[in-house]
Amino acid sequence: MSDEPGEVPELNVPVGMFEDIEDLKAQLAQLTNLVKTLTGGEGAEPGEASGDDEAAAGGEADEEAAEEDEWQYPPFILLLDPPEYDDELRALVEWVEGVLVPGYLAEPSADARWCHLWFEHSVAIARLHAVWLAWQELTDPASCGYTGPSVWHRDHLDPALRELRGSSGPFSGCVKGEHQIEHRLPSVVPSAWSHGTD
């Protein structure tokens, strides 16, 4: 190495470092192709990845797309239209009336309101549906381990019940059968089974 000004110093860079950089470039091109495939974008520019890399990325993308097709995220109920809304509400009613009411809701009072026509309150439907979706995820040990039920109680159920049953919640006028909103009279089939405009 020379100390004279104007001369470029000689660098001793290991050859393996250049190979690592080229490997990283190839992996980056492969990931870029995969992202573009998954997001519906165009394929990679020519020369970004070899045909083998593109085939591998395409194969991985096909596998991941197949997995996504198998697993459908449950939609939020207020975003659904009939008949999907009706089906989701029917399942929610079964869960609320079969699990939540007998297990967690005591006799309503001025301090802990509940409406037997809760499915007439859109805010109650939204909150209870969110709690139900969390319950489905957090009571499955395969997806959440053994702490899921505790997390569900703390982060989902307790806050939702405080909001629903509080003095300013949607049931504020629904203590012991007195309703401040206009409920439809229940018929032989509860009005929850059909979704209509109020």
Side-chain angles (χ1 to χ4, degrees), residues 4-61:
E4 293 183 24
E7 286 190 30
V8 177
E10 186 178 313
L11 300 175
N12 292 324
V13 179
V15 174
M17 183 175 180
F18 290 111
E19 292 172 355
D20 291 342
I21 291 172
E22 291 304 312
D23 287 344
L24 289 173
K25 285 181 184 178
Q27 289 176 0
L28 179 61
Q30 186 177 11
L31 288 173
T32 301
N33 281 333
L34 182 59
V35 168
K36 288 179 180 179
T37 301
L38 292 174
T39 59
E42 296 295 319
E45 295 296 323
E48 279 189 1
S50 70
D52 292 341
D53 289 342
E54 288 176 3
E60 291 171 9

Side-chain angles (χ1 to χ4, degrees), residues 157-169:
L157 179 66
D158 294 344
L161 290 183
R162 274 193 302 273
E163 291 295 322
L164 288 172
R165 302 187 84 185
S167 61
S168 62

Side-chain angles (χ1 to χ4, degrees), residues 89 93 96-97 101 108 113-125 128 170-171 174-187 189-193 198:
L89 184 58
V93 167
V96 169
E97 299 298 330
V101 170
R113 293 158 170 79
W114 182 253
C115 178
H116 71 284
L117 296 173
W118 61 267
F119 43 79
E120 298 261 341
H121 299 266
S122 59
V123 171
I125 291 171
L128 291 170
F171 307 142
C174 301
V175 179
K176 300 198 182 213
E178 297 174 12
H179 302 286
Q180 297 298 319
I181 66 170
E182 293 180 18
H183 285 299
R184 294 183 300 255
L185 292 175
S187 58
V189 177
S191 59
W193 303 133
D198 291 327

